[in-house]
Amino acid sequence: MTKKILVMGLPGSGKTTLSQELVKKLMLNHTVSWYNADAVRKEHNDWDFSDEGRLRQVTRMAIMADESNTDYVVCDFVCPTEYYRKVFDADCVVWMNTIEAGRFEDTNRVFEKPTDADYVITDWSQTDDMIANIVAAYRVDKESHKRSITKALSWRLLGTVDTFVLSWIITGNINFAAAIGSVELLTKTILYYLHERVWARVKIK
């Protein structure tokens, strides 16, 4: 299940620099998507910073994050109000609290300091510990294809023995019971594997 990490704060607080380091560390062992606010606005040619424009941007970022199939998705943008942060609905919020005011007065006016950020960065010396803590606290459980196949086979062997025994008891014919067990082993192994692969992509919070 993808973990959504929001790196937020005033313009100039170091969101992108921190995100770059975070993504670099996460990519050592995981798949990662990274969405930077300015890059997304440029892609959509949308530089509207009105209330409507900001809401449109946070909604756009949330949709992109939710549609990501990577282990982690890191989004760095101002996300200035509690309402916008609820719309984005991150699993982890990192607040870059490194400056008192940004370079844009309109953003300074609307910015609301988060009261429930998971990590607050006030000093760059904190970043290494913060990154290590994120990886530990928001660990992605990865279900590999090999593990899914192994689980499917072990479970179906157990189930097939049960089916064989019950069929033998009911029919009294050991050959008929063996035939039922053999067919069931093949079909249900395939179904179980497909079931596991579908659930590996399902996101439930």
Side-chain angles (χ1 to χ4, degrees), residues 2 31 33 35 64-72 201 203:
T2 301
T31 57
S33 297
Y35 299 113
M64 294 172 68
D66 288 337
E67 291 180 347
S68 173
N69 288 320
T70 52
D71 296 327
Y72 292 92
R201 292 176 174 272
K203 301 176 183 178

Side-chain angles (χ1 to χ4, degrees), residues 84 126 140:
Y84 294 150
Q126 300 172 284
V140 173

Side-chain angles (χ1 to χ4, degrees), residues 9-148:
L10 288 166
S13 60
K15 298 183 298 298
T16 301
T17 301
L18 185 281
S19 296
Q20 186 174 17
E21 290 302 310
L22 175 59
V23 168
K24 188 185 303 182
K25 295 291 178 62
L26 290 174
M27 287 183 69
L28 293 175
N29 297 299
H30 301 277
T31 57
V32 185
S33 297
W34 176 19
Y35 299 113
N36 168 265
D38 288 342
V40 172
R41 283 189 178 276
K42 183 177 181 180
E43 179 182 348
H44 290 83
N45 193 28
D46 185 355
W47 300 98
D48 178 7
F49 291 91
S50 65
D51 290 341
E52 293 79 8
R54 291 181 189 275
L55 180 58
R56 186 167 58 250
Q57 171 74 345
V58 71
T59 302
R60 181 186 296 134
M61 297 284 277
I63 291 172
M64 294 172 68
D66 288 337
E67 291 180 347
S68 173
N69 288 320
T70 52
D71 296 327
Y72 292 92
V73 56
V74 177
C75 294
D76 74 275
F77 63 115
V78 176
C79 208
T81 70
E82 288 295 329
Y83 175 69
Y84 294 150
R85 293 189 279 272
K86 288 180 180 178
V87 170
F88 185 76
D89 192 25
D91 294 298
C92 173
V93 176
V94 179
W95 176 24
M96 298 301 295
N97 186 23
T98 58
I99 57 176
E100 289 298 321
R103 57 185 178 275
F104 302 111
E105 285 303 320
D106 58 334
T107 301
N108 292 335
R109 283 195 298 271
V110 300
F111 188 82
E112 299 172 2
K113 295 181 178 181
T115 57
D116 57 352
D118 297 285
Y119 299 94
V120 181
I121 300 297
T122 58
D123 187 312
W124 283 99
S125 64
Q126 300 172 284
T127 57
D128 285 343
D129 288 341
M130 184 273 297
I131 290 171
N133 288 337
I134 286 178
V135 174
Y138 300 91
R139 183 173 63 88
V140 173
D141 294 318
K142 303 180 73 173
E143 185 73 19
S144 69
H145 290 273
K146 183 177 180 180
R147 181 177 171 84
S148 292

